Amino acid sequence: MQAEEIKKDMDISSWPSDLAYEQWVALPVSGARPSARYKHAAAVVDEKLYITGGSRNGRYLSDIQVFDLRSLTWSSLKLKIEPNADKSEDTSLWEVLPGTSDHSVIKWENKLLLLGGHSKKSSEAMIVHFMNLETRVCGVLETSGKIPVARGGHSVTLVGSKLLVFGGEDRSRKLLNDVHVLDLETMTWSMVEAMQTPPAPRFDHSATVHAERYLLIFGGCSHSIFFNDLHLLDLQTMEWSQPQIQGDLVSPRAGHAGISIDEMWYIVGGGDNSKGCLETLALNMSKLVWSTLTTLKERHPLASEGLSVCSAIIDGEKHLVAFGGYNGKYNNEVFVMKLKPRKSSRPKIFQSPAAAAAAASVTAAYALAKSEKLDFPQIIDLNFNGVENNVPKKDINVEIDAIKEEKKTLELSIEEVRAENSGLREKIDELNSNHTELSKELQSVQGQLISERSRCFKLEAQIAELQKMLESLQSIEKEVEILRRQKSALEQEMELSAAQRQGSGGVWQWIAGGT
């Protein structure tokens, strides 16, 4: 399905009501457009799309462009340096944000925060820029702690008052798969020591958080491989896993854009350096099922790498807003898709039912048995909800009783699952037995086929010999016929010669008798 364009002579103020659901539409623009680009960063605030930086023809861009989703007009946002900045430094660099690409932008309070990215201005550690949307002041936020190395092509996800940074590519093109947390209230960095197998180092992937607990990583690439895998980090247990996914097959991609709305995670664009991805995907994060919303035609602007996608609520309805990208051509069009209203479902644990019940039971039992002895420094540090545990003892006892009841229910569920598993094992054993018998029968039939093939080869050899003999018999018959003809001719010559000899003897006798 190809994106349509709204008629330019229509009433601009009512354009959202004229959109069809789940179709990409190119918005008309009044006045000048910003330069086409890719690997920029974008955010929607108060029905305005903010585009920061990016890259075009190898040049880093530093401008801030704003698209009004009501009037459908572009404007340039002029920034000024933070008033209390250090005057001893060259402040000319801070009149606008430095040219940057492959960075991330997050809205926090009345600011846009820009993290990382590649630029001409080198830095060993990751820099956090800000721009105040009310005062239009920009600057650099001072951070402390274990500041991550500078990088681009990473992902940044907001969870409560904390930012999660994953992966990317540093200045020396080293690929990363580390996880860092920035506490926006204290501006302190910390590094997450996660367990189990993390995703392979990558950049140009996408990331989101579901249910304030699970960090999801999708796609991206290394220097030679493009990924289509989905990884999950449990922010409570700090364990990586790679859950089973259902639904449509998803092709490997990097440079795509993603945005989550409620329980749905929407993925747009991307590619593998040879072709762009035409489908717009949606992952139901509660059920872990991929589906395809729409498929575009070849060379469509949205089938690009390095584009951006944001969410916007217009007239009470949710929309996707996409901009930019590169697919052999730099793009600067704005596309929107109006989403169908969805009923939100209760989040599920990202495992099979049996594993989920077992994990919940073990977790509850372990918490009951060890709660008084455990020390939780990392969990306190990574308390994404920022809620203090000032709970009365009575309430705690009530919660413990509730957990015990839930534990009993889960144990019953485990027994049911075990009984079901036992029945499945019996069926599997029966199927294995049938498979063994069929395998033996197949081997017998294969042996017979081999024997018949051998007979066929022998018969073919005999037929070939008989054909040769038949050909030789035909040759002999021809030779016999020639000999017969030669014999007949010889007999005729002999008869003629005898007749001549008889005629010659009678004359001499007549002469002799006459005398």
Side-chain angles (χ1 to χ4, degrees):
M1 185 182 300
Q2 190 173 14
E4 301 174 354
E5 185 171 352
I6 298 176
K7 296 179 180 179
K8 296 185 179 181
D9 57 353
M10 66 174 293
D11 185 1
I12 296 298
S13 62
S14 64
W15 69 262
S17 61
D18 296 332
L19 297 181
Y21 286 113
E22 296 186 349
Q23 293 184 15
W24 283 111
V25 175
L27 294 179
V29 174
S30 300
R33 299 172 182 258
S35 60
R37 67 194 67 198
Y38 82 135
K39 293 190 175 183
H40 53 280
V44 169
V45 182
D46 297 332
E47 297 186 354
K48 289 183 172 60
L49 173 65
Y50 290 82
I51 302 296
T52 67
S55 177
R56 178 184 174 89
N57 296 326
R59 182 170 60 91
Y60 297 120
L61 304 177
S62 61
D63 55 338
I64 310 296
Q65 301 291 333
V66 184
F67 183 71
D68 192 316
L69 292 170
R70 284 295 180 184
S71 62
L72 305 184
T73 57
W74 283 100
S75 62
S76 180
L77 183 64
K78 302 299 182 182
L79 300 174
K80 51 188 176 181
I81 189 173
E82 187 177 13
N84 60 352
D86 186 359
K87 301 299 182 181
S88 63
E89 296 182 0
D90 184 5
T91 58
S92 62
L93 294 175
W94 300 104
E95 291 177 358
V96 292
L97 295 171
T100 309
S101 72
D102 259 345
H103 53 297
S104 298
V105 63
I106 296 290
K107 181 184 180 297
W108 173 248
E109 297 177 342
N110 62 343
K111 302 180 182 70
L112 290 183
L113 306 183
L114 284 71
L115 289 87
H118 299 300
S119 65
K120 290 184 178 180
K121 186 175 181 180
S122 61
S123 173
E124 294 293 335
M126 179 174 285
I127 296 177
V128 181
H129 297 274
F130 78 90
M131 55 180 177
N132 190 310
L133 299 179
E134 296 176 358
T135 63
R136 297 190 177 183
V137 169
C138 68
V140 176
L141 293 176
E142 293 186 4
T143 60
S144 59
K146 297 182 179 179
I147 303 176
V149 66
R151 66 192 66 197
H154 53 289
S155 61
V156 178
T157 310
L158 178 65
V159 187
S161 61
K162 295 178 172 62
L163 294 179
L164 296 178
V165 176
F166 171 80
E169 183 183 42
D170 68 11
R171 293 189 305 157
S172 62
R173 298 203 68 199
K174 177 184 177 182
L175 297 177
L176 307 167
N177 65 346
D178 48 353
V179 181
H180 297 266
V181 178
L182 175 61
D183 189 325
L184 294 176
E185 295 180 350
T186 63
M187 298 309 297
T188 302
W189 285 100
S190 60
M191 184 174 181
V192 174
E193 298 292 342
M195 297 179 289
Q196 304 304 329
T197 304
R202 65 190 65 200
F203 69 106
D204 284 355
H205 55 278
S206 59
T208 192
V209 166
H210 178 54
E212 296 292 308
R213 174 173 176 176
Y214 303 99
L215 173 67
L216 281 70
I217 304 295
F218 168 68
C221 64
S222 65
H223 294 147
S224 59
I225 301 174
F226 288 81
F227 302 107
N228 64 345
D229 50 357
L230 180 71
H231 294 264
L232 182 150
L233 176 63
D234 190 324
L235 299 177
Q236 291 186 9
T237 63
M238 288 301 161
E239 290 184 344
W240 283 106
S241 63
Q242 192 170 358
Q244 286 188 335
I245 308 297
Q246 298 177 338
D248 295 344
L249 294 177
V250 176
S251 59
R253 69 194 64 203
H256 52 283
I259 188 70
S260 60
I261 303 175
D262 300 326
E263 64 182 14
M264 303 302 295
W265 190 16
Y266 299 94
I267 302 295
V268 183
D272 59 3
N273 282 344
S274 61
K275 62 182 182 302
C277 296
L278 306 177
E279 64 275 11
T280 298
L281 303 171
L283 175 69
N284 187 315
M285 295 183 287
S286 294
K287 300 178 181 179
L288 289 178
V289 176
W290 281 113
S291 60
T292 301
L293 289 185
T294 183
T295 301
L296 302 167
K297 291 186 177 181
E298 295 285 344
R299 310 298 296 176
H300 190 277
L302 289 179
S304 298
E305 298 180 35
L307 76 168
S308 63
V309 65
C310 304
S311 63
I313 297 179
I314 305 173
D315 293 341
E317 294 195 275
K318 298 170 182 176
H319 296 72
L320 300 182
V321 183
F323 173 79
Y326 178 79
N327 62 352
K329 176 184 176 182
Y330 292 99
N331 300 306
N332 63 351
E333 290 188 82
V334 179
F335 291 87
V336 295
M337 174 188 283
K338 183 162 68 172
L339 299 174
K340 291 181 180 178
R342 296 177 181 270
K343 294 181 180 179
S344 60
S345 61
R346 185 178 179 181
K348 298 180 181 179
I349 295 177
F350 291 80
Q351 295 173 337
S352 64
S361 177
V362 171
T363 302
Y366 186 78
L368 286 172
K370 301 294 184 180
S371 60
E372 296 181 357
K373 299 180 181 180
L374 290 177
D375 183 21
F376 299 103
Q378 189 175 18
I379 293 179
I380 293 174
D381 181 53
L382 295 173
N383 181 8
F384 289 93
N385 295 323
V387 179
E388 296 182 358
N389 295 324
N390 296 326
V391 182
K393 187 174 182 180
K394 182 179 178 180
D395 293 342
I396 293 176
N397 291 332
V398 172
E399 290 184 6
I400 291 175
D401 292 337
I403 292 174
K404 287 180 178 179
E405 290 297 325
E406 186 177 358
K407 177 176 176 287
K408 292 179 181 179
T409 304
L410 291 172
E411 287 176 345
L412 292 175
S413 299
I414 291 174
E415 291 300 325
E416 293 177 359
V417 171
R418 285 175 178 169
E420 184 179 352
N421 287 343
S422 177
L424 290 174
R425 287 193 188 98
E426 291 179 359
K427 290 182 180 180
I428 291 172
D429 292 338
E430 182 180 353
L431 290 173
N432 288 335
S433 176
N434 293 337
H435 179 265
T436 302
E437 293 178 0
L438 290 173
S439 297
K440 291 180 180 179
E441 186 175 351
L442 178 61
Q443 290 176 356
S444 175
V445 172
Q446 287 176 342
Q448 294 177 7
L449 286 173
I450 292 172
S451 176
E452 291 298 325
R453 285 175 183 171
S454 178
R455 288 183 56 193
C456 287
F457 290 150
K458 290 180 180 179
L459 289 174
E460 288 176 354
Q462 292 176 359
I463 290 172
E465 291 179 0
L466 290 175
Q467 286 178 341
K468 290 180 180 180
M469 292 176 63
L470 181 61
E471 290 175 356
S472 63
L473 286 175
Q474 292 176 350
S475 176
I476 291 172
E477 287 180 353
K478 290 180 180 179
E479 291 180 359
V480 169
E481 182 65 25
I482 292 172
L483 290 174
R484 285 176 179 169
R485 291 177 181 175
Q486 291 178 351
K487 177 183 176 183
S488 176
L490 183 60
E491 288 176 348
Q492 290 178 0
E493 289 179 1
M494 291 176 64
E495 290 177 357
L496 181 60
S497 176
Q500 289 177 351
R501 283 198 302 270
Q502 288 178 358
S504 176
V507 172
W508 286 108
Q509 288 179 358
W510 179 78
I511 295 173
T515 58

mmCIF file of all heavy atoms in Angstrom, residues 478-515:
data_model
loop_
_atom_site.group_PDB
_atom_site.id
_atom_site.type_symbol
_atom_site.label_atom_id
_atom_site.label_comp_id
_atom_site.label_asym_id
_atom_site.label_seq_id
_atom_site.Cartn_x
_atom_site.Cartn_y
_atom_site.Cartn_z
ATOM 1 N N LYS A 478 24.097 -59.390 -44.603
ATOM 2 C CA LYS A 478 24.505 -58.649 -45.798
ATOM 3 C C LYS A 478 25.677 -59.341 -46.483
ATOM 4 O O LYS A 478 25.723 -59.444 -47.715
ATOM 5 C CB LYS A 478 24.880 -57.216 -45.405
ATOM 6 C CG LYS A 478 23.689 -56.371 -44.985
ATOM 7 C CD LYS A 478 24.127 -54.961 -44.615
ATOM 8 C CE LYS A 478 22.936 -54.118 -44.192
ATOM 9 N NZ LYS A 478 23.332 -52.750 -43.806
ATOM 10 N N GLU A 479 26.643 -59.815 -45.697
ATOM 11 C CA GLU A 479 27.798 -60.494 -46.281
ATOM 12 C C GLU A 479 27.378 -61.785 -46.977
ATOM 13 O O GLU A 479 27.884 -62.135 -48.053
ATOM 14 C CB GLU A 479 28.815 -60.786 -45.175
ATOM 15 C CG GLU A 479 29.481 -59.525 -44.623
ATOM 16 C CD GLU A 479 30.479 -59.854 -43.527
ATOM 17 O OE1 GLU A 479 30.605 -61.056 -43.207
ATOM 18 O OE2 GLU A 479 31.112 -58.913 -43.000
ATOM 19 N N VAL A 480 26.410 -62.545 -46.333
ATOM 20 C CA VAL A 480 25.913 -63.800 -46.938
ATOM 21 C C VAL A 480 25.234 -63.509 -48.263
ATOM 22 O O VAL A 480 25.410 -64.244 -49.259
ATOM 23 C CB VAL A 480 24.959 -64.510 -45.958
ATOM 24 C CG1 VAL A 480 24.227 -65.640 -46.659
ATOM 25 C CG2 VAL A 480 25.720 -65.032 -44.759
ATOM 26 N N GLU A 481 24.438 -62.448 -48.308
ATOM 27 C CA GLU A 481 23.747 -62.091 -49.549
ATOM 28 C C GLU A 481 24.758 -61.759 -50.652
ATOM 29 O O GLU A 481 24.573 -62.153 -51.819
ATOM 30 C CB GLU A 481 22.836 -60.900 -49.283
ATOM 31 C CG GLU A 481 22.028 -60.460 -50.490
ATOM 32 C CD GLU A 481 21.037 -61.517 -50.923
ATOM 33 O OE1 GLU A 481 20.634 -62.353 -50.072
ATOM 34 O OE2 GLU A 481 20.668 -61.540 -52.119
ATOM 35 N N ILE A 482 25.850 -61.098 -50.302
ATOM 36 C CA ILE A 482 26.883 -60.771 -51.290
ATOM 37 C C ILE A 482 27.550 -62.050 -51.803
ATOM 38 O O ILE A 482 27.800 -62.201 -53.003
ATOM 39 C CB ILE A 482 27.923 -59.821 -50.652
ATOM 40 C CG1 ILE A 482 27.275 -58.452 -50.362
ATOM 41 C CG2 ILE A 482 29.136 -59.663 -51.549
ATOM 42 C CD1 ILE A 482 28.155 -57.529 -49.562
ATOM 43 N N LEU A 483 27.814 -62.976 -50.864
ATOM 44 C CA LEU A 483 28.431 -64.255 -51.267
ATOM 45 C C LEU A 483 27.507 -65.037 -52.182
ATOM 46 O O LEU A 483 27.960 -65.695 -53.143
ATOM 47 C CB LEU A 483 28.772 -65.073 -50.023
ATOM 48 C CG LEU A 483 29.926 -64.517 -49.163
ATOM 49 C CD1 LEU A 483 30.059 -65.325 -47.890
ATOM 50 C CD2 LEU A 483 31.238 -64.550 -49.957
ATOM 51 N N ARG A 484 26.203 -65.015 -51.882
ATOM 52 C CA ARG A 484 25.243 -65.712 -52.748
ATOM 53 C C ARG A 484 25.271 -65.149 -54.152
ATOM 54 O O ARG A 484 25.239 -65.896 -55.155
ATOM 55 C CB ARG A 484 23.848 -65.608 -52.163
ATOM 56 C CG ARG A 484 23.624 -66.519 -50.956
ATOM 57 C CD ARG A 484 22.248 -66.281 -50.374
ATOM 58 N NE ARG A 484 22.012 -67.153 -49.236
ATOM 59 C CZ ARG A 484 20.973 -67.025 -48.399
ATOM 60 N NH1 ARG A 484 20.077 -66.053 -48.611
ATOM 61 N NH2 ARG A 484 20.831 -67.851 -47.383
ATOM 62 N N ARG A 485 25.296 -63.839 -54.224
ATOM 63 C CA ARG A 485 25.338 -63.208 -55.548
ATOM 64 C C ARG A 485 26.631 -63.566 -56.273
ATOM 65 O O ARG A 485 26.643 -63.819 -57.489
ATOM 66 C CB ARG A 485 25.216 -61.697 -55.401
ATOM 67 C CG ARG A 485 23.835 -61.240 -54.943
ATOM 68 C CD ARG A 485 23.805 -59.756 -54.748
ATOM 69 N NE ARG A 485 22.482 -59.324 -54.287
ATOM 70 C CZ ARG A 485 22.188 -58.073 -53.939
ATOM 71 N NH1 ARG A 485 23.145 -57.141 -54.032
ATOM 72 N NH2 ARG A 485 20.967 -57.764 -53.529
ATOM 73 N N GLN A 486 27.719 -63.558 -55.533
ATOM 74 C CA GLN A 486 29.006 -63.918 -56.156
ATOM 75 C C GLN A 486 28.979 -65.368 -56.642
ATOM 76 O O GLN A 486 29.490 -65.704 -57.724
ATOM 77 C CB GLN A 486 30.134 -63.708 -55.139
ATOM 78 C CG GLN A 486 30.402 -62.262 -54.814
ATOM 79 C CD GLN A 486 31.492 -62.093 -53.772
ATOM 80 O OE1 GLN A 486 31.934 -63.093 -53.175
ATOM 81 N NE2 GLN A 486 31.915 -60.842 -53.561
ATOM 82 N N LYS A 487 28.350 -66.258 -55.820
ATOM 83 C CA LYS A 487 28.258 -67.684 -56.210
ATOM 84 C C LYS A 487 27.427 -67.851 -57.467
ATOM 85 O O LYS A 487 27.776 -68.610 -58.390
ATOM 86 C CB LYS A 487 27.644 -68.473 -55.051
ATOM 87 C CG LYS A 487 27.443 -69.943 -55.375
ATOM 88 C CD LYS A 487 26.752 -70.672 -54.224
ATOM 89 C CE LYS A 487 26.477 -72.123 -54.605
ATOM 90 N NZ LYS A 487 25.739 -72.832 -53.541
ATOM 91 N N SER A 488 26.287 -67.144 -57.519
ATOM 92 C CA SER A 488 25.410 -67.245 -58.683
ATOM 93 C C SER A 488 26.130 -66.764 -59.940
ATOM 94 O O SER A 488 26.048 -67.398 -61.014
ATOM 95 C CB SER A 488 24.151 -66.419 -58.432
ATOM 96 O OG SER A 488 23.315 -66.425 -59.566
ATOM 97 N N ALA A 489 26.866 -65.671 -59.810
ATOM 98 C CA ALA A 489 27.595 -65.139 -60.967
ATOM 99 C C ALA A 489 28.671 -66.128 -61.409
ATOM 100 O O ALA A 489 28.917 -66.331 -62.608
ATOM 101 C CB ALA A 489 28.210 -63.797 -60.606
ATOM 102 N N LEU A 490 29.324 -66.794 -60.428
ATOM 103 C CA LEU A 490 30.371 -67.758 -60.750
ATOM 104 C C LEU A 490 29.804 -68.971 -61.462
ATOM 105 O O LEU A 490 30.389 -69.484 -62.437
ATOM 106 C CB LEU A 490 31.093 -68.179 -59.471
ATOM 107 C CG LEU A 490 32.271 -69.140 -59.648
ATOM 108 C CD1 LEU A 490 33.359 -68.515 -60.527
ATOM 109 C CD2 LEU A 490 32.858 -69.511 -58.290
ATOM 110 N N GLU A 491 28.650 -69.435 -61.009
ATOM 111 C CA GLU A 491 28.016 -70.583 -61.662
ATOM 112 C C GLU A 491 27.643 -70.256 -63.098
ATOM 113 O O GLU A 491 27.791 -71.099 -64.005
ATOM 114 C CB GLU A 491 26.776 -70.995 -60.871
ATOM 115 C CG GLU A 491 27.111 -71.665 -59.533
ATOM 116 C CD GLU A 491 25.860 -71.982 -58.728
ATOM 117 O OE1 GLU A 491 24.773 -71.477 -59.112
ATOM 118 O OE2 GLU A 491 25.958 -72.697 -57.713
ATOM 119 N N GLN A 492 27.132 -69.044 -63.321
ATOM 120 C CA GLN A 492 26.765 -68.644 -64.684
ATOM 121 C C GLN A 492 28.005 -68.616 -65.584
ATOM 122 O O GLN A 492 27.958 -69.059 -66.748
ATOM 123 C CB GLN A 492 26.097 -67.268 -64.655
ATOM 124 C CG GLN A 492 24.702 -67.292 -64.027
ATOM 125 C CD GLN A 492 24.069 -65.911 -63.974
ATOM 126 O OE1 GLN A 492 24.691 -64.942 -64.414
ATOM 127 N NE2 GLN A 492 22.838 -65.853 -63.456
ATOM 128 N N GLU A 493 29.110 -68.130 -65.075
ATOM 129 C CA GLU A 493 30.334 -68.089 -65.876
ATOM 130 C C GLU A 493 30.815 -69.509 -66.208
ATOM 131 O O GLU A 493 31.285 -69.781 -67.329
ATOM 132 C CB GLU A 493 31.417 -67.334 -65.097
ATOM 133 C CG GLU A 493 31.155 -65.848 -64.997
ATOM 134 C CD GLU A 493 32.229 -65.139 -64.210
ATOM 135 O OE1 GLU A 493 33.175 -65.843 -63.771
ATOM 136 O OE2 GLU A 493 32.136 -63.902 -64.030
ATOM 137 N N MET A 494 30.702 -70.431 -65.238
ATOM 138 C CA MET A 494 31.135 -71.811 -65.459
ATOM 139 C C MET A 494 30.278 -72.486 -66.530
ATOM 140 O O MET A 494 30.793 -73.221 -67.403
ATOM 141 C CB MET A 494 31.057 -72.605 -64.153
ATOM 142 C CG MET A 494 32.103 -72.144 -63.117
ATOM 143 S SD MET A 494 31.932 -73.003 -61.553
ATOM 144 C CE MET A 494 32.324 -74.680 -62.098
ATOM 145 N N GLU A 495 28.950 -72.271 -66.489
ATOM 146 C CA GLU A 495 28.072 -72.860 -67.509
ATOM 147 C C GLU A 495 28.407 -72.325 -68.897
ATOM 148 O O GLU A 495 28.441 -73.059 -69.891
ATOM 149 C CB GLU A 495 26.624 -72.557 -67.155
ATOM 150 C CG GLU A 495 26.119 -73.318 -65.930
ATOM 151 C CD GLU A 495 24.701 -72.943 -65.580
ATOM 152 O OE1 GLU A 495 24.149 -72.043 -66.269
ATOM 153 O OE2 GLU A 495 24.136 -73.501 -64.611
ATOM 154 N N LEU A 496 28.636 -71.057 -68.982
ATOM 155 C CA LEU A 496 28.973 -70.448 -70.272
ATOM 156 C C LEU A 496 30.280 -71.008 -70.806
ATOM 157 O O LEU A 496 30.426 -71.309 -71.995
ATOM 158 C CB LEU A 496 29.044 -68.929 -70.119
ATOM 159 C CG LEU A 496 29.364 -68.153 -71.378
ATOM 160 C CD1 LEU A 496 28.296 -68.405 -72.458
ATOM 161 C CD2 LEU A 496 29.470 -66.666 -71.076
ATOM 162 N N SER A 497 31.231 -71.187 -69.934
ATOM 163 C CA SER A 497 32.533 -71.709 -70.362
ATOM 164 C C SER A 497 32.411 -73.153 -70.842
ATOM 165 O O SER A 497 33.024 -73.548 -71.836
ATOM 166 C CB SER A 497 33.496 -71.615 -69.167
ATOM 167 O OG SER A 497 34.732 -72.188 -69.481
ATOM 168 N N ALA A 498 31.575 -73.955 -70.175
ATOM 169 C CA ALA A 498 31.390 -75.364 -70.580
ATOM 170 C C ALA A 498 30.721 -75.441 -71.945
ATOM 171 O O ALA A 498 31.084 -76.286 -72.789
ATOM 172 C CB ALA A 498 30.548 -76.088 -69.511
ATOM 173 N N ALA A 499 29.754 -74.584 -72.159
ATOM 174 C CA ALA A 499 29.053 -74.592 -73.439
ATOM 175 C C ALA A 499 30.006 -74.234 -74.576
ATOM 176 O O ALA A 499 29.964 -74.835 -75.665
ATOM 177 C CB ALA A 499 27.873 -73.629 -73.418
ATOM 178 N N GLN A 500 30.891 -73.360 -74.329
ATOM 179 C CA GLN A 500 31.843 -72.961 -75.366
ATOM 180 C C GLN A 500 32.798 -74.107 -75.692
ATOM 181 O O GLN A 500 33.152 -74.350 -76.847
ATOM 182 C CB GLN A 500 32.618 -71.727 -74.903
ATOM 183 C CG GLN A 500 31.768 -70.465 -74.864
ATOM 184 C CD GLN A 500 32.526 -69.283 -74.339
ATOM 185 O OE1 GLN A 500 33.656 -69.456 -73.852
ATOM 186 N NE2 GLN A 500 31.924 -68.086 -74.466
ATOM 187 N N ARG A 501 33.184 -74.830 -74.681
ATOM 188 C CA ARG A 501 34.116 -75.943 -74.915
ATOM 189 C C ARG A 501 33.431 -77.047 -75.725
ATOM 190 O O ARG A 501 34.027 -77.663 -76.637
ATOM 191 C CB ARG A 501 34.611 -76.509 -73.567
ATOM 192 C CG ARG A 501 35.675 -75.637 -72.912
ATOM 193 C CD ARG A 501 36.419 -76.420 -71.854
ATOM 194 N NE ARG A 501 35.535 -76.937 -70.843
ATOM 195 C CZ ARG A 501 35.222 -76.263 -69.741
ATOM 196 N NH1 ARG A 501 35.708 -75.067 -69.551
ATOM 197 N NH2 ARG A 501 34.386 -76.815 -68.865
ATOM 198 N N GLN A 502 32.172 -77.351 -75.491
ATOM 199 C CA GLN A 502 31.466 -78.382 -76.247
ATOM 200 C C GLN A 502 31.328 -77.993 -77.725
ATOM 201 O O GLN A 502 31.545 -78.782 -78.637
ATOM 202 C CB GLN A 502 30.080 -78.612 -75.636
ATOM 203 C CG GLN A 502 30.139 -79.328 -74.290
ATOM 204 C CD GLN A 502 28.751 -79.509 -73.687
ATOM 205 O OE1 GLN A 502 27.769 -79.057 -74.293
ATOM 206 N NE2 GLN A 502 28.702 -80.181 -72.550
ATOM 207 N N GLY A 503 30.976 -76.773 -77.979
ATOM 208 C CA GLY A 503 30.832 -76.331 -79.380
ATOM 209 C C GLY A 503 32.148 -76.407 -80.122
ATOM 210 O O GLY A 503 32.223 -76.787 -81.284
ATOM 211 N N SER A 504 33.170 -76.137 -79.550
ATOM 212 C CA SER A 504 34.482 -76.146 -80.181
ATOM 213 C C SER A 504 34.913 -77.587 -80.517
ATOM 214 O O SER A 504 35.440 -77.877 -81.583
ATOM 215 C CB SER A 504 35.449 -75.446 -79.207
ATOM 216 O OG SER A 504 36.727 -75.462 -79.645
ATOM 217 N N GLY A 505 34.682 -78.617 -79.770
ATOM 218 C CA GLY A 505 35.063 -80.027 -80.006
ATOM 219 C C GLY A 505 34.280 -80.642 -81.164
ATOM 220 O O GLY A 505 34.776 -81.440 -81.946
ATOM 221 N N GLY A 506 33.055 -80.379 -81.480
ATOM 222 C CA GLY A 506 32.226 -80.942 -82.579
ATOM 223 C C GLY A 506 32.747 -80.556 -83.946
ATOM 224 O O GLY A 506 32.698 -81.320 -84.901
ATOM 225 N N VAL A 507 33.264 -79.409 -84.111
ATOM 226 C CA VAL A 507 33.781 -78.949 -85.410
ATOM 227 C C VAL A 507 34.977 -79.763 -85.798
ATOM 228 O O VAL A 507 35.120 -80.225 -86.942
ATOM 229 C CB VAL A 507 34.120 -77.443 -85.350
ATOM 230 C CG1 VAL A 507 34.834 -77.021 -86.621
ATOM 231 C CG2 VAL A 507 32.857 -76.655 -85.135
ATOM 232 N N TRP A 508 35.874 -79.961 -84.854
ATOM 233 C CA TRP A 508 37.088 -80.717 -85.168
ATOM 234 C C TRP A 508 36.738 -82.158 -85.493
ATOM 235 O O TRP A 508 37.351 -82.781 -86.391
ATOM 236 C CB TRP A 508 38.079 -80.655 -83.983
ATOM 237 C CG TRP A 508 38.762 -79.288 -83.876
ATOM 238 C CD1 TRP A 508 38.557 -78.379 -82.990
ATOM 239 C CD2 TRP A 508 39.729 -78.819 -84.769
ATOM 240 N NE1 TRP A 508 39.334 -77.287 -83.226
ATOM 241 C CE2 TRP A 508 40.105 -77.547 -84.357
ATOM 242 C CE3 TRP A 508 40.393 -79.340 -85.981
ATOM 243 C CZ2 TRP A 508 41.054 -76.768 -85.016
ATOM 244 C CZ3 TRP A 508 41.339 -78.536 -86.599
ATOM 245 C CH2 TRP A 508 41.650 -77.283 -86.116
ATOM 246 N N GLN A 509 35.757 -82.664 -84.794
ATOM 247 C CA GLN A 509 35.367 -84.047 -85.113
ATOM 248 C C GLN A 509 34.792 -84.136 -86.537
ATOM 249 O O GLN A 509 34.981 -85.113 -87.277
ATOM 250 C CB GLN A 509 34.326 -84.529 -84.087
ATOM 251 C CG GLN A 509 34.943 -84.784 -82.710
ATOM 252 C CD GLN A 509 33.887 -85.226 -81.722
ATOM 253 O OE1 GLN A 509 32.701 -85.288 -82.097
ATOM 254 N NE2 GLN A 509 34.327 -85.552 -80.520
ATOM 255 N N TRP A 510 34.014 -83.182 -86.980
ATOM 256 C CA TRP A 510 33.432 -83.181 -88.330
ATOM 257 C C TRP A 510 34.519 -83.123 -89.377
ATOM 258 O O TRP A 510 34.485 -83.791 -90.399
ATOM 259 C CB TRP A 510 32.487 -81.975 -88.445
ATOM 260 C CG TRP A 510 31.848 -81.871 -89.812
ATOM 261 C CD1 TRP A 510 30.832 -82.560 -90.313
ATOM 262 C CD2 TRP A 510 32.295 -81.007 -90.846
ATOM 263 N NE1 TRP A 510 30.517 -82.215 -91.571
ATOM 264 C CE2 TRP A 510 31.451 -81.214 -91.940
ATOM 265 C CE3 TRP A 510 33.329 -80.058 -90.986
ATOM 266 C CZ2 TRP A 510 31.581 -80.539 -93.155
ATOM 267 C CZ3 TRP A 510 33.417 -79.390 -92.204
ATOM 268 C CH2 TRP A 510 32.557 -79.632 -93.256
ATOM 269 N N ILE A 511 35.529 -82.343 -89.122
ATOM 270 C CA ILE A 511 36.637 -82.248 -90.062
ATOM 271 C C ILE A 511 37.358 -83.596 -90.163
ATOM 272 O O ILE A 511 37.711 -84.065 -91.240
ATOM 273 C CB ILE A 511 37.609 -81.132 -89.649
ATOM 274 C CG1 ILE A 511 36.896 -79.770 -89.757
ATOM 275 C CG2 ILE A 511 38.894 -81.161 -90.461
ATOM 276 C CD1 ILE A 511 37.712 -78.627 -89.219
ATOM 277 N N ALA A 512 37.568 -84.198 -88.948
ATOM 278 C CA ALA A 512 38.292 -85.472 -88.943
ATOM 279 C C ALA A 512 37.482 -86.548 -89.642
ATOM 280 O O ALA A 512 38.022 -87.387 -90.382
ATOM 281 C CB ALA A 512 38.611 -85.896 -87.490
ATOM 282 N N GLY A 513 36.156 -86.616 -89.484
ATOM 283 C CA GLY A 513 35.323 -87.623 -90.138
ATOM 284 C C GLY A 513 35.269 -87.422 -91.650
ATOM 285 O O GLY A 513 35.150 -88.369 -92.444
ATOM 286 N N GLY A 514 35.335 -86.244 -92.109
ATOM 287 C CA GLY A 514 35.250 -85.956 -93.542
ATOM 288 C C GLY A 514 36.465 -86.481 -94.291
ATOM 289 O O GLY A 514 36.390 -86.832 -95.471
ATOM 290 N N THR A 515 37.532 -86.542 -93.594
ATOM 291 C CA THR A 515 38.720 -86.982 -94.269
ATOM 292 C C THR A 515 38.762 -88.483 -94.252
ATOM 293 O O THR A 515 39.427 -89.130 -94.987
ATOM 294 C CB THR A 515 39.972 -86.431 -93.570
ATOM 295 O OG1 THR A 515 39.964 -86.860 -92.203
ATOM 296 C CG2 THR A 515 39.991 -84.934 -93.633
#
